[in-house]
Amino acid sequence: MPPEAWADLHVHTRWSDGTQDLPQLAERARRLGLAAVAVTDHDTVGADFTAPTLNLQGIEVICGVEVKAWVGKLKGEILGYFLRPGHPALEELFSWLRAARQERMRAMVDKCRALVGKPIALEEVQALAAGSLGRPHLAALLVRHGLASGFDDAFRRFLEEGAPCYVPLPRPTTRQAIAAIRAAGGVAALAHPAFLAVADWEKTLAQLAEEGLAAVEVHYPYESSRQPLRSNPAEVAAAVHKLGLIPTGGSDDHGPGSVKESLGAVKIPYELVDRLRSATT
């Protein structure tokens, strides 16, 4: 790998709430000069993956996941990298999460139907999802029915937390999520930590490290996010350095025409990919 190789380790595809498939992602990554990307779809691993890494158009595509989990009493997310697809520990977790997402979406569709007075059906939302079912699929349906002008409008008026159709999603604990990732041969990282209101990052990350966390997403496009910062990214980075955790990073790209088209907006040196690979179980 050349010395100036770069990676984006937080990317979504059509298997959750992204708009691209793996070949399209690889082509975009190639054009941007990236050496590696990690596909971290929500609570699922796409059927395209047959190994912890794939080589597509000369791009290393890492099999990953982003699992919504309780970080203490806070709603957070755990990233996993270099997963063995189809591992029983992952499948057990994903099965529980699929059922939770299905029931949540059923409740959200019922709320939307009652609010707007149109016959929106759960089956219509399911038809838009190749894999993990999420709010962007319902947002797309609201736009299709002319009830919102776009994704941002659909979330703001109907689907974001506090909006009339929002329903919270059940989550596993970080210990459960990290255990499943490690059992599948992967390495676990905390996603976009500065969105969490944590008073003592060193204490919190030390506790997560005891559960098996090896990395933290230090580099993230906070400046372009709709979510407010609840912690200082510099304080998080300092705690990561002090504890000897691996500082990872990624753009959280969801593909062209999505809520976030940002591939390569954040990239990390490829040497950190090798460090993550070395931390796998």
Side-chain angles (χ1 to χ4, degrees), residues 145-182:
H145 278 284
L147 298 168
S149 59
F151 277 91
D152 286 344
D153 184 48
F155 269 80
R156 179 181 58 80
R157 292 172 52 209
F158 300 104
L159 305 178
E160 67 184 20
E161 189 167 357
C165 299
Y166 176 79
V167 174
L169 180 69
R171 298 167 184 251
T173 65
T174 52
R175 186 177 296 277
Q176 291 170 316
I178 293 168
I181 288 167
R182 285 170 55 81

Side-chain angles (χ1 to χ4, degrees), residues 106-147:
R106 188 186 308 279
M108 292 184 75
V109 168
D110 288 346
K111 283 176 173 280
C112 283
R113 186 166 52 238
L115 182 69
V116 303
K118 287 203 173 186
I120 299 170
L122 175 63
E123 292 73 18
E124 290 182 277
V125 186
Q126 291 171 322
L128 297 175
S132 186
L133 192 62
R135 286 181 292 168
H137 302 116
L138 180 52
L141 188 64
L142 292 171
V143 173
R144 180 179 294 182
H145 278 284
L147 298 168

